[in-house]
Amino acid sequence: MSIRRGPKIANPTSSEASSDLGKTIQRLRKAYNLSLGELSEQSGVAKSIISQIERNETNPTLSTVVRLSRALETTVDEVLRGEQTSLFVDHQTKSGIPILESQDGLCRLAIVGPLNLVEAFQWYDFHAQVGGVLESSPHPLGTIEHLYIVSGELEVTTGSETKIGKAGEALRYRADVTHKIRNLGTGAAHAVMMLALKQFGAQQ
Amino acid sequence: MSIRRGPKIANPTSSEASSDLGKTIQRLRKAYNLSLGELSEQSGVAKSIISQIERNETNPTLSTVVRLSRALETTVDEVLRGEQTSLFVDHQTKSGIPILESQDGLCRLAIVGPLNLVEAFQWYDFHAQVGGVLESSPHPLGTIEHLYIVSGELEVTTGSETKIGKAGEALRYRADVTHKIRNLGTGAAHAVMMLALKQFGAQQ
DNA sequence: AACCGCTGTTCGTTATAAAGAACGAAATGG
DNA sequence: CCATTTCGTTCTTTATAACGAACAGCGGTT
């Protein structure tokens, strides 16, 4: 147990690449709302292994990591560095990493639908508990955000304008400025968000 | 041998990540003029393994690839995609991959000196057989190239100007335009090249 | 309850990645 | 010419990554 071959590696199991891979993989998996089984199917990696990787109990093979990062629409390096990006949604950088929870822990964004999205559109599933606030820094110029409120009540502030939407309503607003989504209602809120980047089809 | 577990992987050994890692690793290693033993020492990976990796006879662990790509001053993704960058020297992208041989196979560039170079300077060892031509696309604006000819005779063309240097002479020219180094002499030529990026100390 | 479908975990097995030593082939040089 | 070094490869052994199946923990039905 003690005597190992590698004289350099401090820690036998954890991948030695400082930032724990596991947490990042898990964050991404959850951001896509995938279960271990689903990611296993998508990536071709046994779910038992994914489980172990997420808990840093194994030192995965390169091919395994490649398959996982492909299924998660990202690159190996991106997964490696773990980049919290510190903020919430930051898609400026393509293949940016969507993140799970807002700072207050009350909001949750998840990428919706099939993987392999085209660049121009991004779908999200948005959950906000009472009082939750999601603040996003500006997206690329021309980006429009569509918010379809499934249940609850949400207030959107973009620039200096503020609007309130109730269940069944849809809000549409520019997302190339700082914007906020707030749950001021009495219960949890659920919405579907679409981000349309400028390129083509800014409408619909 | 035949029945494998992974239903997805076509080829058991080769890392499944399309571009053969091995060739890239080897190209980088040779660009740094390292032997297997030396790279082994620098990276902490057994040289036998590096040998196998270079011949795509193994499916390396992530940590192994990380250690190698660190020692080779690059990133895992860079190594993965193999990116020939199609051209010869292309340092625009930091952590760019220096390449071994010119298209005609007659020139050879090798990074000189210790690893962990600072950004602003790059040292190369340059060998050109008779008739060899090294054509480089422009480096970042303001970059100046210094060529100290150790032996042989070289002709440098930068923009529209052409000069010839003999052994013991040094040429200095702008490298932010397409430039060519040609060995028109009767024997092989050997030179040391320094690339000075604009930032500070364009002279020295 | 017992029964599903789902989650994530653990277990047993097999193939193999990694290390180090040993090897043969060039290159060096005395 | 035969020793020495250095190169890359091959060999042997050990630890373990990956798999699939079996498992435990939960909600939700009938």
Side-chain angles (χ1 to χ4, degrees):
Chain A
M1 188 69 69
S2 50
I3 297 180
R4 267 297 259 61
R5 352 175 178 129
K8 297 284 171 52
I9 302 188
N11 177 337
T13 69
S14 90
S15 72
E16 90 112 20
S18 54
S19 83
D20 49 348
L21 192 76
K23 241 186 65 190
T24 308
I25 295 275
Q26 187 174 70
R27 194 179 80 242
L28 283 169
R29 176 173 66 82
K30 295 208 163 156
Y32 281 104
N33 247 347
L34 298 176
S35 68
L36 286 180
E38 287 168 328
L39 179 56
S40 168
E41 200 176 349
Q42 300 254 7
S43 62
V45 177
K47 70 174 180 175
S48 56
I49 298 188
I50 304 178
S51 171
Q52 288 174 3
I53 291 177
E54 289 188 351
R55 283 172 296 132
N56 290 316
E57 285 187 357
T58 188
N59 170 18
T61 284
L62 178 63
S63 71
T64 299
V65 178
V66 167
R67 282 185 279 172
L68 285 177
S69 39
R70 272 189 195 153
L72 294 170
E73 293 280 300
T74 187
T75 68
V76 174
D77 284 324
E78 205 105 28
V79 160
L80 268 184
R81 79 176 71 109
E83 284 284 322
Q84 279 291 12
T85 39
S86 76
L87 238 308
F88 202 106
V89 190
D90 189 8
H91 268 250
Q92 339 279 60
T93 76
K94 56 184 65 176
S95 87
I97 304 182
I99 302 199
L100 256 193
E101 304 189 345
S102 58
Q103 305 96 316
D104 59 13
L106 297 174
C107 296
R108 191 171 181 294
L109 258 203
I111 298 179
V112 155
L115 306 190
N116 283 318
L117 292 169
V118 214
E119 271 287 305
F121 296 97
Q122 301 272 2
W123 290 90
Y124 295 94
D125 195 57
F126 175 68
H127 285 274
Q129 297 179 24
V130 180
V133 178
L134 166 54
E135 195 166 338
S136 302
S137 38
H139 299 294
L141 201 80
T143 301
I144 294 189
E145 205 166 288
H146 301 240
L147 191 72
Y148 173 70
I149 302 171
V150 176
S151 65
E153 204 172 306
L154 291 172
E155 179 205 75
V156 173
T157 303
T158 180
S160 54
E161 275 188 86
T162 296
K163 282 209 177 179
I164 293 186
K166 297 178 194 291
E169 298 179 351
L171 297 175
R172 215 176 127 187
Y173 47 93
R174 304 191 49 165
D176 52 8
V177 294
T178 303
H179 50 289
K180 245 182 257 192
I181 304 177
R182 247 186 240 142
N183 181 4
L184 298 178
T186 57
H190 178 202
V192 175
M193 181 194 297
M194 191 194 90
L195 223 71
L197 280 74
K198 192 178 52 190
Q199 313 189 252
F200 32 9
Q203 63 215 342
Q204 171 20 264
Chain B
M1 189 68 72
S2 50
I3 297 179
R4 266 296 258 66
R5 356 174 177 131
K8 296 285 171 50
I9 302 187
N11 176 338
T13 68
S14 90
S15 74
E16 88 112 21
S18 56
S19 82
D20 50 348
L21 191 76
K23 240 185 63 189
T24 308
I25 294 273
Q26 187 174 71
R27 195 180 78 242
L28 283 168
R29 176 172 67 82
K30 294 206 165 156
Y32 281 104
N33 247 346
L34 297 176
S35 67
L36 286 181
E38 287 168 328
L39 179 55
S40 167
E41 201 176 349
Q42 300 253 8
S43 63
V45 177
K47 72 174 179 175
S48 57
I49 298 187
I50 304 178
S51 170
Q52 289 173 4
I53 290 176
E54 288 188 351
R55 284 171 296 132
N56 291 316
E57 284 185 357
T58 188
N59 169 16
T61 284
L62 178 63
S63 71
T64 298
V65 178
V66 167
R67 281 185 280 172
L68 285 177
S69 40
R70 274 190 195 152
L72 294 170
E73 294 279 302
T74 187
T75 68
V76 174
D77 284 323
E78 206 106 27
V79 159
L80 268 183
R81 79 177 71 110
E83 284 284 322
Q84 278 291 14
T85 39
S86 76
L87 240 306
F88 203 109
V89 192
D90 189 7
H91 267 252
Q92 341 278 62
T93 74
K94 56 184 68 179
S95 84
I97 305 182
I99 301 197
L100 255 191
E101 303 188 346
S102 59
Q103 304 97 314
D104 60 13
L106 296 175
C107 296
R108 190 170 181 299
L109 258 203
I111 297 180
V112 155
L115 306 188
N116 284 316
L117 292 170
V118 215
E119 271 287 304
F121 297 98
Q122 303 271 1
W123 289 91
Y124 295 94
D125 195 55
F126 175 69
H127 285 273
Q129 296 180 25
V130 179
V133 177
L134 165 54
E135 193 164 342
S136 300
S137 41
H139 299 295
L141 201 81
T143 300
I144 295 188
E145 206 167 286
H146 301 240
L147 190 72
Y148 173 69
I149 303 171
V150 176
S151 65
E153 203 172 308
L154 291 172
E155 179 206 74
V156 173
T157 303
T158 180
S160 55
E161 275 188 86
T162 297
K163 284 209 175 176
I164 293 186
K166 298 177 191 291
E169 298 179 353
L171 297 174
R172 214 177 126 186
Y173 48 91
R174 304 191 48 165
D176 52 9
V177 294
T178 302
H179 50 289
K180 246 182 259 193
I181 304 178
R182 245 184 243 143
N183 180 4
L184 298 177
T186 58
H190 178 202
V192 175
M193 180 194 296
M194 190 193 92
L195 221 72
L197 281 73
K198 193 179 50 187
Q199 312 189 258
F200 34 7
Q203 63 216 342
Q204 152 41 258

